[in-house]
Amino acid sequence: SQAFAQAAACRNATELQAIAVRMLTTELMVAALGCTGATEDSFRNRYGSFVQKFSGDLTKNGSQLKSHYAKYGGESRMNMMVTQLANLAEQRRRSDPNFCVDTDKKLNIGLAAETTKIKQVPMSSDYYTGALGIRDCSTPAPKPATPPPATKK
């Protein structure tokens, strides 16, 4: 089935890092659009500053994602993953009372002067990779359930 094929999909460290960066920026974008309260006024501006600060990393990351997804069904598959990510981040924003505060912290870390690489910003990729059925190739694949042996009559 397609679901199992997706679940069995493993990615190497470089691919996982590229996906994690996309997850982070998606999370920050969802927060910039949907978080209200103490951080609302500056959230969008700071998100814009974050994207500007890491524009080189983000451009490189986009190219890496495209080349990785060329192996897994191309751009349409990548677009599906990006859409799923945005939906998951929005679900998380609605269900996790700490989402906006946590995302605000990530933005602050990203914008800090000592943060020079996007990889230094904490990423909550485990939540998303699990939901997307993506796993690290260095971890064993989940075993499909084996049917009970047929009984003879």
Side-chain angles (χ1 to χ4, degrees):
S1 76
Q2 177 144 6
F4 183 74
Q6 187 85 353
C10 75
R11 303 288 186 264
N12 67 37
T14 309
E15 291 169 323
L16 287 172
Q17 179 65 40
I19 292 169
V21 167
R22 187 55 190 248
M23 290 172 187
L24 172 69
T25 54
T26 300
E27 213 174 38
L28 296 177
M29 178 188 64
V30 165
L33 295 171
C35 288
T36 55
T39 61
E40 181 184 10
D41 55 340
S42 66
F43 226 121
R44 289 181 192 197
N45 291 336
R46 288 184 306 129
Y47 171 71
S49 300
F50 180 92
V51 170
Q52 274 186 309
K53 178 176 179 177
F54 295 109
S55 63
D57 285 353
L58 294 173
T59 301
K60 187 176 153 201
N61 198 70
S63 301
Q64 283 178 327
L65 271 180
K66 276 186 182 147
S67 71
H68 295 319
Y69 270 87
K71 296 183 271 183
Y72 305 109
E75 205 158 337
S76 64
R77 177 72 69 158
M78 186 180 86
N79 293 339
M80 274 172 40
M81 186 272 296
V82 168
T83 302
Q84 282 178 301
L85 264 182
N87 292 337
L88 286 166
E90 178 58 23
Q91 285 168 17
R92 192 172 191 185
R93 182 188 69 79
R94 291 180 187 186
S95 63
D96 179 354
N98 297 315
F99 179 85
C100 291
V101 172
D102 291 347
T103 312
D104 191 48
K105 286 178 188 158
K106 290 177 187 183
L107 258 181
N108 288 335
I109 292 167
L111 293 172
E114 63 271 17
T115 306
T116 56
K117 290 186 170 54
I118 202 164
K119 291 178 201 175
Q120 293 171 276
V121 181
M123 302 188 193
S124 47
S125 55
D126 291 352
Y127 171 85
Y128 298 104
T129 51
L132 291 171
I134 296 170
R135 64 179 184 80
D136 185 333
C137 290
S138 65
T139 60
K143 301 245 185 306
T146 50
T151 53
K152 290 182 181 162
K153 292 192 173 169

